[in-house]
Amino acid sequence: MASRREIERMIGERRIAINGAVIETPATLIESLHGVTVDGKPVKAPAPARLFRFHKPAGLLTTERDPKGRPTIYDRLPKDLPRVMPVGRLDLNTEGLLLLTTDGELKRQLELPATGVPRTYRARAYGAVTQAQLEELIEGITIDGVRYGSIDANMERRTGANVWIELTLTEGKNREVRRVLEHLGLTVSRLIRTKYGPFELADLPAGAVDEVRQHDLVVFRKTLKSAPPRHGEGDQPKAGGGGPRQKPRGAVPPPPSPQARRRSSSPSRGGFKR
């Protein structure tokens, strides 16, 4: 029906009921959708989860609405897309792969550090750094009292005063990549997420969306570690999402070890690896 926050607003507006009794608080646990209505209409059972890939351009906020009126991803998404929720966030100036899903539980599984889904980024930064400094990030780092977990970072190439660095992490704290690189004395001028789990940005054009095949999504979900159960949450978000095109199709292998991932490659024109 809507996102968790929107459902909370609907409850405040007394639009949701169970067997005719208006729900008074979001802290309401239900065992099934039987008897649940919104504006007097029965709520249908959730459809199978869907996942989409979206190549988010820089300059869009990963939110549904912005009080300041700035453009959001929903201004750019196709109008015929089902209701979708973003998996994690990319900040205003970060571009690249943003997964979108119709299923709140899948969103949660993909986002939680406990499930260990790796995210890969490519950063163009200004300044001096060595491969040895980047390799120390594999042990994690604490910055201003905030602990960042293991990051597999590799220098790809240097062009003058700029360097391209590939980083893979599993936590995804707010602005994690930028803060870690800034701590090393670098200034990030471009940040691109190229991969989320087995789903790759590949050659998906900026602003484009495509859907992950249902078979690939089912195979991937079987590889996920179990997420800890929710405690006292009664929301049931239902939003649509997507995923990769050709590359992720077929069996999805587990993420490689940091050692196996170390390699050196040069970015193609535009900064994307083909």
Side-chain angles (χ1 to χ4, degrees):
M1 290 296 301
S3 69
R4 180 178 62 189
R5 290 182 180 178
E6 289 175 325
I7 291 296
E8 289 174 350
R9 283 194 287 268
M10 289 180 180
I11 290 173
E13 295 167 356
R14 302 177 60 83
R15 296 171 57 191
I16 302 178
I18 301 178
N19 296 323
V22 174
I23 295 178
E24 301 290 347
T25 171
T28 303
L29 302 182
I30 61 175
E31 295 182 355
S32 76
L33 293 175
H34 180 72
V36 179
T37 59
V38 176
D39 297 331
K41 299 177 181 179
V43 175
K44 297 179 181 179
R50 297 173 69 184
L51 189 66
F52 300 83
R53 285 189 314 160
F54 172 51
H55 185 160
K56 175 193 171 297
L60 296 180
L61 290 172
T62 308
T63 185
E64 189 163 358
R65 302 181 188 88
D66 178 53
K68 298 181 180 179
R70 292 172 294 181
T72 76
I73 60 171
Y74 291 95
D75 296 323
R76 188 68 180 266
L77 293 176
K79 301 305 180 184
D80 59 351
L81 204 66
R83 180 176 185 81
V84 294
M85 297 177 290
V87 175
R89 293 178 181 271
L90 293 178
D91 64 33
L92 180 68
N93 295 317
T94 301
E95 57 194 285
L97 179 63
L98 181 65
L99 296 181
L100 307 168
T101 180
T102 57
D103 185 85
E105 186 60 27
L106 174 59
K107 168 183 165 70
R108 178 171 174 270
Q109 286 180 310
L110 286 165
E111 291 176 343
L112 280 177
T115 56
V117 180
R119 296 90 149 150
T120 298
Y121 296 80
R122 297 188 67 242
R124 183 180 66 195
Y126 174 83
V129 69
T130 65
Q131 179 61 34
Q133 287 177 289
L134 295 175
E135 289 182 1
E136 290 177 357
L137 297 176
I138 203 71
E139 304 298 332
I141 188 172
T142 300
I143 303 172
D144 297 331
V146 178
R147 181 65 183 176
Y148 297 98
S150 177
I151 299 175
D152 180 25
N154 294 282
M155 189 183 302
E156 292 190 332
R157 80 171 192 177
R158 181 177 294 280
T159 55
N162 289 302
V163 60
W164 279 97
I165 302 170
E166 183 181 68
L167 308 96
T168 298
L169 51 134
T170 58
E171 286 188 326
K173 287 187 173 75
N174 184 37
R175 298 178 62 82
E176 180 170 352
V177 173
R178 294 182 185 274
R179 287 174 175 166
V180 168
L181 294 183
E182 287 169 1
H183 182 74
L184 296 179
L186 300 172
T187 301
V188 177
S189 59
R190 190 178 183 191
L191 185 58
I192 310 159
R193 184 155 67 194
T194 58
K195 194 172 182 181
Y196 200 119
F199 309 116
E200 299 185 22
L201 180 66
D203 57 356
L204 186 68
V209 180
D210 66 4
E211 183 169 7
V212 177
R213 293 191 315 181
Q214 190 63 214
H215 169 76
D216 294 334
L217 177 55
V218 171
V219 170
F220 168 64
R221 296 192 77 170
K222 290 179 180 178
T223 71
L224 285 174
K225 299 176 185 177
S226 297
R230 298 187 182 192
H231 297 288
E233 290 190 25
D235 60 286
Q236 298 192 17
K238 292 189 286 180
R245 296 197 294 188
Q246 288 85 1
K247 284 194 177 182
R249 294 185 177 177
V252 178
S257 66
Q259 292 76 16
R261 293 188 65 262
R262 299 200 180 282
R263 64 189 184 280
S264 175
S265 61
S266 298
S268 62
R269 182 167 51 178
F272 291 103
K273 194 185 305 174
R274 300 295 182 185

